[in-house]
Amino acid sequence: IEYEDLIMFPTEKEKQRDANHVQEVGIYKADVYKKSNAQFFMESEKSEGAIIKELSNKRVILPNDGVVL
């Protein structure tokens, strides 16, 4: 798979992430995705995928579950 950028969760926000991983990371990923020109987002974690879909209002593919949100 080719990609333009690999954006990781900021290390300075690790305490926030660790306190509520799914919510914090889902919000972060949704924000990055919403600002991008990407056509879809691949997410292995179903609960994070639901947050990303809800907040970005863009397509999220859950390959482990065979689901497109």
PDB file of all heavy atoms in Angstrom, residues 4-28:
ATOM      1  N   GLU A   4       0.851   8.839   1.264  1.00  0.00           N
ATOM      2  CA  GLU A   4       1.610  10.090   1.249  1.00  0.00           C
ATOM      3  C   GLU A   4       2.228  10.386   2.607  1.00  0.00           C
ATOM      4  O   GLU A   4       3.378  10.760   2.702  1.00  0.00           O
ATOM      5  CB  GLU A   4       0.714  11.252   0.826  1.00  0.00           C
ATOM      6  CG  GLU A   4       0.337  11.200  -0.630  1.00  0.00           C
ATOM      7  CD  GLU A   4      -0.518  12.378  -1.042  1.00  0.00           C
ATOM      8  OE1 GLU A   4      -0.423  13.450  -0.410  1.00  0.00           O
ATOM      9  OE2 GLU A   4      -1.284  12.219  -1.998  1.00  0.00           O
ATOM     10  N   ASP A   5       1.440  10.253   3.665  1.00  0.00           N
ATOM     11  CA  ASP A   5       1.887  10.604   5.008  1.00  0.00           C
ATOM     12  C   ASP A   5       1.466   9.525   6.002  1.00  0.00           C
ATOM     13  O   ASP A   5       0.394   8.949   5.874  1.00  0.00           O
ATOM     14  CB  ASP A   5       1.263  11.935   5.469  1.00  0.00           C
ATOM     15  CG  ASP A   5       1.686  13.103   4.615  1.00  0.00           C
ATOM     16  OD1 ASP A   5       2.893  13.351   4.526  1.00  0.00           O
ATOM     17  OD2 ASP A   5       0.806  13.764   4.039  1.00  0.00           O
ATOM     18  N   LEU A   6       2.314   9.324   6.996  1.00  0.00           N
ATOM     19  CA  LEU A   6       1.963   8.477   8.128  1.00  0.00           C
ATOM     20  C   LEU A   6       1.951   9.384   9.349  1.00  0.00           C
ATOM     21  O   LEU A   6       2.989   9.906   9.752  1.00  0.00           O
ATOM     22  CB  LEU A   6       2.969   7.343   8.312  1.00  0.00           C
ATOM     23  CG  LEU A   6       2.744   6.444   9.521  1.00  0.00           C
ATOM     24  CD1 LEU A   6       1.373   5.756   9.432  1.00  0.00           C
ATOM     25  CD2 LEU A   6       3.852   5.427   9.637  1.00  0.00           C
ATOM     26  N   ILE A   7       0.770   9.613   9.890  1.00  0.00           N
ATOM     27  CA  ILE A   7       0.615  10.550  11.001  1.00  0.00           C
ATOM     28  C   ILE A   7       0.335   9.744  12.262  1.00  0.00           C
ATOM     29  O   ILE A   7      -0.618   8.963  12.306  1.00  0.00           O
ATOM     30  CB  ILE A   7      -0.524  11.546  10.718  1.00  0.00           C
ATOM     31  CG1 ILE A   7      -0.205  12.318   9.431  1.00  0.00           C
ATOM     32  CG2 ILE A   7      -0.730  12.485  11.898  1.00  0.00           C
ATOM     33  CD1 ILE A   7      -1.364  13.102   8.879  1.00  0.00           C
ATOM     34  N   MET A   8       1.155   9.957  13.265  1.00  0.00           N
ATOM     35  CA  MET A   8       1.039   9.213  14.508  1.00  0.00           C
ATOM     36  C   MET A   8       0.461  10.107  15.606  1.00  0.00           C
ATOM     37  O   MET A   8       0.580  11.331  15.549  1.00  0.00           O
ATOM     38  CB  MET A   8       2.407   8.693  14.942  1.00  0.00           C
ATOM     39  CG  MET A   8       3.088   7.819  13.903  1.00  0.00           C
ATOM     40  SD  MET A   8       2.173   6.319  13.524  1.00  0.00           S
ATOM     41  CE  MET A   8       2.435   5.417  15.036  1.00  0.00           C
ATOM     42  N   PHE A   9      -0.136   9.476  16.609  1.00  0.00           N
ATOM     43  CA  PHE A   9      -0.674  10.211  17.757  1.00  0.00           C
ATOM     44  C   PHE A   9       0.496  10.902  18.463  1.00  0.00           C
ATOM     45  O   PHE A   9       1.524  10.282  18.715  1.00  0.00           O
ATOM     46  CB  PHE A   9      -1.386   9.244  18.706  1.00  0.00           C
ATOM     47  CG  PHE A   9      -2.219   9.918  19.736  1.00  0.00           C
ATOM     48  CD1 PHE A   9      -3.515  10.291  19.457  1.00  0.00           C
ATOM     49  CD2 PHE A   9      -1.713  10.172  20.998  1.00  0.00           C
ATOM     50  CE1 PHE A   9      -4.297  10.910  20.417  1.00  0.00           C
ATOM     51  CE2 PHE A   9      -2.486  10.785  21.962  1.00  0.00           C
ATOM     52  CZ  PHE A   9      -3.787  11.159  21.669  1.00  0.00           C
ATOM     53  N   PRO A  10       0.350  12.192  18.783  1.00  0.00           N
ATOM     54  CA  PRO A  10       1.459  12.939  19.400  1.00  0.00           C
ATOM     55  C   PRO A  10       1.884  12.362  20.753  1.00  0.00           C
ATOM     56  O   PRO A  10       1.046  12.108  21.614  1.00  0.00           O
ATOM     57  CB  PRO A  10       0.897  14.343  19.591  1.00  0.00           C
ATOM     58  CG  PRO A  10      -0.371  14.400  18.837  1.00  0.00           C
ATOM     59  CD  PRO A  10      -0.832  12.999  18.611  1.00  0.00           C
ATOM     60  N   THR A  11       3.172  12.175  20.931  1.00  0.00           N
ATOM     61  CA  THR A  11       3.673  11.601  22.181  1.00  0.00           C
ATOM     62  C   THR A  11       3.415  12.504  23.382  1.00  0.00           C
ATOM     63  O   THR A  11       3.265  12.010  24.497  1.00  0.00           O
ATOM     64  CB  THR A  11       5.178  11.292  22.088  1.00  0.00           C
ATOM     65  OG1 THR A  11       5.874  12.482  21.732  1.00  0.00           O
ATOM     66  CG2 THR A  11       5.450  10.214  21.076  1.00  0.00           C
ATOM     67  N   GLU A  12       3.325  13.803  23.169  1.00  0.00           N
ATOM     68  CA  GLU A  12       3.067  14.700  24.300  1.00  0.00           C
ATOM     69  C   GLU A  12       1.644  14.556  24.843  1.00  0.00           C
ATOM     70  O   GLU A  12       1.320  15.086  25.896  1.00  0.00           O
ATOM     71  CB  GLU A  12       3.372  16.161  23.940  1.00  0.00           C
ATOM     72  CG  GLU A  12       2.548  16.746  22.822  1.00  0.00           C
ATOM     73  CD  GLU A  12       3.147  16.535  21.431  1.00  0.00           C
ATOM     74  OE1 GLU A  12       4.127  15.782  21.299  1.00  0.00           O
ATOM     75  OE2 GLU A  12       2.615  17.130  20.489  1.00  0.00           O
ATOM     76  N   LYS A  13       0.794  13.834  24.143  1.00  0.00           N
ATOM     77  CA  LYS A  13      -0.583  13.610  24.608  1.00  0.00           C
ATOM     78  C   LYS A  13      -0.785  12.172  25.099  1.00  0.00           C
ATOM     79  O   LYS A  13      -1.912  11.699  25.193  1.00  0.00           O
ATOM     80  CB  LYS A  13      -1.564  13.909  23.475  1.00  0.00           C
ATOM     81  CG  LYS A  13      -1.617  15.359  23.083  1.00  0.00           C
ATOM     82  CD  LYS A  13      -2.711  15.581  22.068  1.00  0.00           C
ATOM     83  CE  LYS A  13      -2.864  17.058  21.759  1.00  0.00           C
ATOM     84  NZ  LYS A  13      -4.008  17.304  20.883  1.00  0.00           N
ATOM     85  N   GLU A  14       0.279  11.485  25.430  1.00  0.00           N
ATOM     86  CA  GLU A  14       0.179  10.082  25.847  1.00  0.00           C
ATOM     87  C   GLU A  14      -0.685   9.874  27.084  1.00  0.00           C
ATOM     88  O   GLU A  14      -1.417   8.902  27.173  1.00  0.00           O
ATOM     89  CB  GLU A  14       1.572   9.492  26.089  1.00  0.00           C
ATOM     90  CG  GLU A  14       2.296   9.151  24.814  1.00  0.00           C
ATOM     91  CD  GLU A  14       3.673   8.563  25.054  1.00  0.00           C
ATOM     92  OE1 GLU A  14       4.194   8.641  26.187  1.00  0.00           O
ATOM     93  OE2 GLU A  14       4.239   8.033  24.099  1.00  0.00           O
ATOM     94  N   LYS A  15      -0.628  10.795  28.049  1.00  0.00           N
ATOM     95  CA  LYS A  15      -1.439  10.646  29.268  1.00  0.00           C
ATOM     96  C   LYS A  15      -2.919  10.687  28.935  1.00  0.00           C
ATOM     97  O   LYS A  15      -3.711   9.928  29.491  1.00  0.00           O
ATOM     98  CB  LYS A  15      -1.069  11.713  30.296  1.00  0.00           C
ATOM     99  CG  LYS A  15       0.272  11.462  30.947  1.00  0.00           C
ATOM    100  CD  LYS A  15       0.577  12.470  32.011  1.00  0.00           C
ATOM    101  CE  LYS A  15       1.955  12.199  32.592  1.00  0.00           C
ATOM    102  NZ  LYS A  15       2.334  13.153  33.610  1.00  0.00           N
ATOM    103  N   GLN A  16      -3.319  11.603  28.036  1.00  0.00           N
ATOM    104  CA  GLN A  16      -4.714  11.672  27.599  1.00  0.00           C
ATOM    105  C   GLN A  16      -5.103  10.369  26.910  1.00  0.00           C
ATOM    106  O   GLN A  16      -6.165   9.808  27.163  1.00  0.00           O
ATOM    107  CB  GLN A  16      -4.915  12.823  26.607  1.00  0.00           C
ATOM    108  CG  GLN A  16      -4.891  14.198  27.199  1.00  0.00           C
ATOM    109  CD  GLN A  16      -4.942  15.220  26.082  1.00  0.00           C
ATOM    110  OE1 GLN A  16      -3.904  15.660  25.613  1.00  0.00           O
ATOM    111  NE2 GLN A  16      -6.126  15.576  25.661  1.00  0.00           N
ATOM    112  N   ARG A  17      -4.243   9.909  26.018  1.00  0.00           N
ATOM    113  CA  ARG A  17      -4.504   8.690  25.268  1.00  0.00           C
ATOM    114  C   ARG A  17      -4.676   7.506  26.203  1.00  0.00           C
ATOM    115  O   ARG A  17      -5.597   6.701  26.057  1.00  0.00           O
ATOM    116  CB  ARG A  17      -3.358   8.421  24.300  1.00  0.00           C
ATOM    117  CG  ARG A  17      -3.566   7.158  23.477  1.00  0.00           C
ATOM    118  CD  ARG A  17      -2.292   6.629  22.896  1.00  0.00           C
ATOM    119  NE  ARG A  17      -1.391   6.230  23.973  1.00  0.00           N
ATOM    120  CZ  ARG A  17      -0.087   6.096  23.829  1.00  0.00           C
ATOM    121  NH1 ARG A  17       0.480   6.338  22.676  1.00  0.00           N
ATOM    122  NH2 ARG A  17       0.660   5.729  24.841  1.00  0.00           N
ATOM    123  N   ASP A  18      -3.787   7.401  27.163  1.00  0.00           N
ATOM    124  CA  ASP A  18      -3.821   6.259  28.069  1.00  0.00           C
ATOM    125  C   ASP A  18      -5.033   6.286  28.995  1.00  0.00           C
ATOM    126  O   ASP A  18      -5.505   5.241  29.430  1.00  0.00           O
ATOM    127  CB  ASP A  18      -2.530   6.192  28.881  1.00  0.00           C
ATOM    128  CG  ASP A  18      -1.328   5.871  27.992  1.00  0.00           C
ATOM    129  OD1 ASP A  18      -1.529   5.428  26.844  1.00  0.00           O
ATOM    130  OD2 ASP A  18      -0.196   6.079  28.454  1.00  0.00           O
ATOM    131  N   ALA A  19      -5.554   7.463  29.278  1.00  0.00           N
ATOM    132  CA  ALA A  19      -6.710   7.584  30.165  1.00  0.00           C
ATOM    133  C   ALA A  19      -7.988   7.057  29.496  1.00  0.00           C
ATOM    134  O   ALA A  19      -8.832   6.458  30.141  1.00  0.00           O
ATOM    135  CB  ALA A  19      -6.905   9.032  30.591  1.00  0.00           C
ATOM    136  N   ASN A  20      -8.129   7.301  28.210  1.00  0.00           N
ATOM    137  CA  ASN A  20      -9.314   6.867  27.471  1.00  0.00           C
ATOM    138  C   ASN A  20      -8.911   6.629  26.021  1.00  0.00           C
ATOM    139  O   ASN A  20      -9.242   7.419  25.143  1.00  0.00           O
ATOM    140  CB  ASN A  20     -10.426   7.901  27.573  1.00  0.00           C
ATOM    141  CG  ASN A  20     -11.733   7.390  27.013  1.00  0.00           C
ATOM    142  OD1 ASN A  20     -11.806   6.292  26.461  1.00  0.00           O
ATOM    143  ND2 ASN A  20     -12.767   8.191  27.129  1.00  0.00           N
ATOM    144  N   HIS A  21      -8.195   5.544  25.792  1.00  0.00           N
ATOM    145  CA  HIS A  21      -7.549   5.291  24.508  1.00  0.00           C
ATOM    146  C   HIS A  21      -8.497   5.388  23.312  1.00  0.00           C
ATOM    147  O   HIS A  21      -8.233   6.124  22.369  1.00  0.00           O
ATOM    148  CB  HIS A  21      -6.863   3.918  24.516  1.00  0.00           C
ATOM    149  CG  HIS A  21      -6.164   3.615  23.241  1.00  0.00           C
ATOM    150  ND1 HIS A  21      -4.897   4.047  22.987  1.00  0.00           N
ATOM    151  CD2 HIS A  21      -6.578   2.964  22.124  1.00  0.00           C
ATOM    152  CE1 HIS A  21      -4.540   3.665  21.778  1.00  0.00           C
ATOM    153  NE2 HIS A  21      -5.540   3.004  21.242  1.00  0.00           N
ATOM    154  N   VAL A  22      -9.574   4.652  23.326  1.00  0.00           N
ATOM    155  CA  VAL A  22     -10.463   4.590  22.166  1.00  0.00           C
ATOM    156  C   VAL A  22     -11.014   5.965  21.830  1.00  0.00           C
ATOM    157  O   VAL A  22     -10.988   6.397  20.677  1.00  0.00           O
ATOM    158  CB  VAL A  22     -11.604   3.575  22.399  1.00  0.00           C
ATOM    159  CG1 VAL A  22     -12.653   3.665  21.308  1.00  0.00           C
ATOM    160  CG2 VAL A  22     -11.044   2.168  22.478  1.00  0.00           C
ATOM    161  N   GLN A  23     -11.505   6.691  22.816  1.00  0.00           N
ATOM    162  CA  GLN A  23     -12.087   8.007  22.582  1.00  0.00           C
ATOM    163  C   GLN A  23     -11.034   9.009  22.106  1.00  0.00           C
ATOM    164  O   GLN A  23     -11.229   9.690  21.098  1.00  0.00           O
ATOM    165  CB  GLN A  23     -12.756   8.515  23.870  1.00  0.00           C
ATOM    166  CG  GLN A  23     -13.528   9.791  23.695  1.00  0.00           C
ATOM    167  CD  GLN A  23     -14.809   9.617  22.891  1.00  0.00           C
ATOM    168  OE1 GLN A  23     -15.364   8.529  22.799  1.00  0.00           O
ATOM    169  NE2 GLN A  23     -15.272  10.678  22.295  1.00  0.00           N
ATOM    170  N   GLU A  24      -9.933   9.124  22.809  1.00  0.00           N
ATOM    171  CA  GLU A  24      -8.900  10.109  22.471  1.00  0.00           C
ATOM    172  C   GLU A  24      -8.282   9.844  21.102  1.00  0.00           C
ATOM    173  O   GLU A  24      -8.118  10.753  20.297  1.00  0.00           O
ATOM    174  CB  GLU A  24      -7.799  10.139  23.536  1.00  0.00           C
ATOM    175  CG  GLU A  24      -8.234  10.725  24.850  1.00  0.00           C
ATOM    176  CD  GLU A  24      -8.624  12.190  24.767  1.00  0.00           C
ATOM    177  OE1 GLU A  24      -7.994  12.948  24.005  1.00  0.00           O
ATOM    178  OE2 GLU A  24      -9.573  12.575  25.462  1.00  0.00           O
ATOM    179  N   VAL A  25      -7.937   8.606  20.845  1.00  0.00           N
ATOM    180  CA  VAL A  25      -7.309   8.269  19.561  1.00  0.00           C
ATOM    181  C   VAL A  25      -8.329   8.381  18.433  1.00  0.00           C
ATOM    182  O   VAL A  25      -8.006   8.869  17.343  1.00  0.00           O
ATOM    183  CB  VAL A  25      -6.660   6.876  19.620  1.00  0.00           C
ATOM    184  CG1 VAL A  25      -6.131   6.460  18.264  1.00  0.00           C
ATOM    185  CG2 VAL A  25      -5.523   6.879  20.641  1.00  0.00           C
ATOM    186  N   GLY A  26      -9.564   7.973  18.673  1.00  0.00           N
ATOM    187  CA  GLY A  26     -10.606   8.101  17.663  1.00  0.00           C
ATOM    188  C   GLY A  26     -10.840   9.551  17.264  1.00  0.00           C
ATOM    189  O   GLY A  26     -10.970   9.868  16.081  1.00  0.00           O
ATOM    190  N   ILE A  27     -10.883  10.427  18.242  1.00  0.00           N
ATOM    191  CA  ILE A  27     -11.063  11.864  17.976  1.00  0.00           C
ATOM    192  C   ILE A  27      -9.880  12.401  17.176  1.00  0.00           C
ATOM    193  O   ILE A  27     -10.052  13.135  16.202  1.00  0.00           O
ATOM    194  CB  ILE A  27     -11.242  12.647  19.291  1.00  0.00           C
ATOM    195  CG1 ILE A  27     -12.589  12.306  19.928  1.00  0.00           C
ATOM    196  CG2 ILE A  27     -11.116  14.150  19.060  1.00  0.00           C
ATOM    197  CD1 ILE A  27     -12.749  12.812  21.351  1.00  0.00           C
ATOM    198  N   TYR A  28      -8.681  12.025  17.577  1.00  0.00           N
ATOM    199  CA  TYR A  28      -7.480  12.486  16.874  1.00  0.00           C
ATOM    200  C   TYR A  28      -7.473  12.005  15.418  1.00  0.00           C
ATOM    201  O   TYR A  28      -7.258  12.793  14.489  1.00  0.00           O
ATOM    202  CB  TYR A  28      -6.220  11.982  17.592  1.00  0.00           C
ATOM    203  CG  TYR A  28      -4.953  12.381  16.886  1.00  0.00           C
ATOM    204  CD1 TYR A  28      -4.466  13.671  16.980  1.00  0.00           C
ATOM    205  CD2 TYR A  28      -4.263  11.467  16.093  1.00  0.00           C
ATOM    206  CE1 TYR A  28      -3.309  14.045  16.306  1.00  0.00           C
ATOM    207  CE2 TYR A  28      -3.116  11.826  15.419  1.00  0.00           C
ATOM    208  CZ  TYR A  28      -2.646  13.117  15.527  1.00  0.00           C
ATOM    209  OH  TYR A  28      -1.512  13.487  14.857  1.00  0.00           O
TER     210      TYR A  28
END
